[in-house]
Amino acid sequence: MEIISIEGIVISSLKYGENSKILNILTKDKGIIGVISKGALKEKSKLRSVSDNFTYAIFHLYYKENKMSTLISADVINYFLNIRTDIEKLGVINYLTELTRDVYKSSSSSDIYDIFISAILKIEEGFDPKIISNIVEIKYLDFLGIGLYLDGCVECGSTSVVSLSHAKGGYICYKHRKDEPLYDASFLKLIKAYYYIDISKISELNLKAKTVNEIDKFLDIYYRDYTGLYLKSKNFFKNIKK
């Protein structure tokens, strides 16, 4: 057993015994690790406040690889208080957490962690949760093995594109378009921007609601047909928005 300090975020927790918790902590370097937080449910426990879901911290652990580790203490980076007090934002984070866990089943890339943390931080700052979640969804497609081709027509490489093919997974030019819908330039440019943007560097999001909604609809259909994922948490936060 070794003592390590590792950055991560609590993505789920479960009561263990009378006073303890089992935490699943998402980390950049070691993926999702199981940690026991002994006595975390006791009122005066120093581990009580750092064992809640969505606690983002540097965790100090007695670490056991591929076994249950033990929490010693944690230095909190962010409690995400704005998210915790907003039911819509909390619904989005629950969805992104569930989605991230499923994406980790397909890939163990540390980039997944960076995308997830950057997204939560931006939602905490007050950026539109729907837009941020859509950006995450587009970026996660690569890790699921069904990434969109957005550098030109998926058939010939032409940069003069007029549509985004659901069936072919990428841009389509006029010559190769069959029954795909015609999209305006703002949709085609924005979905590419979603794919390439560094979430951590977003400083402003002034986007047309119509275009944002079109991208959200496209992604709903794409995820439904090609990922095999059905996440109740997404329906929950969409219903809250309505």
Side-chain angles (χ1 to χ4, degrees):
M1 184 186 297
E2 61 176 323
I3 296 177
I4 67 168
S5 297
I6 191 166
E7 179 186 315
I9 182 169
V10 179
I11 58 172
S12 67
S13 60
L14 179 69
K15 182 180 178 182
Y16 180 73
E18 288 297 316
N19 299 303
S20 300
K21 277 185 170 183
I22 299 294
L23 312 178
N24 282 311
I25 301 176
L26 173 62
T27 71
K28 181 172 182 175
D29 299 323
K30 298 183 181 297
I32 299 172
I33 59 176
V35 175
I36 183 169
S37 181
K38 294 181 178 179
L41 295 175
K42 292 181 179 179
E43 188 173 345
K44 295 183 179 180
S45 172
K46 67 178 182 178
L47 300 180
R48 185 181 179 92
S49 64
V50 299
S51 300
D52 291 333
N53 288 355
F54 309 126
T55 297
Y56 175 38
I58 303 297
F59 295 95
H60 308 291
L61 313 170
Y62 290 116
Y63 179 70
K64 293 181 179 179
E65 189 170 0
N66 299 320
K67 294 182 180 180
M68 190 68 64
S69 299
T70 302
L71 180 61
I72 302 170
S73 63
D75 300 318
V76 175
I77 300 170
N78 201 319
Y79 279 114
F80 299 114
L81 296 179
N82 291 333
I83 289 172
R84 293 173 189 272
T85 56
D86 185 311
I87 191 169
E88 180 189 349
K89 291 178 181 177
L90 192 57
V92 173
I93 299 307
N94 280 324
Y95 163 64
L96 290 179
T97 300
E98 189 179 1
L99 177 60
T100 299
R101 292 188 71 156
D102 281 338
V103 172
Y104 258 100
K105 294 175 184 177
S106 298
S107 171
S108 59
S109 171
S110 62
D111 290 341
I112 300 170
Y113 176 86
D114 290 333
I115 292 169
F116 180 64
I117 292 296
S118 295
I120 299 178
L121 288 169
K122 287 302 172 183
I123 293 172
E124 173 70 9
E125 287 177 30
F127 288 90
D128 189 311
K130 180 179 180 179
I131 295 174
I132 298 298
S133 66
N134 284 160
I135 294 172
V136 172
E137 287 172 330
I138 287 178
K139 291 179 178 296
Y140 278 178
L141 290 175
D142 279 349
F143 303 108
L144 292 168
I146 50 170
L148 295 169
Y149 183 76
L150 301 174
D151 290 327
C153 175
V154 71
E155 294 283 2
C156 67
S158 171
T159 56
S160 298
V161 295
V162 297
S163 185
L164 181 62
S165 174
H166 169 269
K168 296 175 181 177
Y171 281 154
I172 292 292
C173 68
Y174 186 80
K175 177 181 178 182
H176 291 101
R177 173 179 170 262
K178 294 182 179 178
D179 56 354
E180 293 88 359
L182 286 171
Y183 289 110
D184 60 33
S186 59
F187 172 94
L188 296 171
K189 289 179 180 178
L190 186 58
I191 201 164
K192 184 174 182 177
Y194 277 15
Y195 178 76
Y196 283 107
I197 196 168
D198 182 340
I199 298 174
S200 68
K201 294 181 179 179
I202 293 174
S203 59
E204 189 176 9
L205 286 175
N206 294 320
L207 308 176
K208 293 181 179 178
K210 178 178 179 293
T211 307
V212 170
N213 290 335
E214 284 180 337
I215 291 176
D216 184 56
K217 182 179 179 180
F218 176 89
L219 288 170
D220 277 350
I221 295 171
Y222 200 73
Y223 263 79
R224 181 196 69 196
D225 291 351
Y226 296 111
T227 69
L229 302 177
Y230 176 73
L231 305 180
K232 293 181 179 179
S233 53
K234 182 161 191 178
N235 289 332
F236 177 76
F237 92 73
K238 281 182 173 290
N239 289 333
I240 291 173
K241 186 70 174 177
K242 290 178 183 178

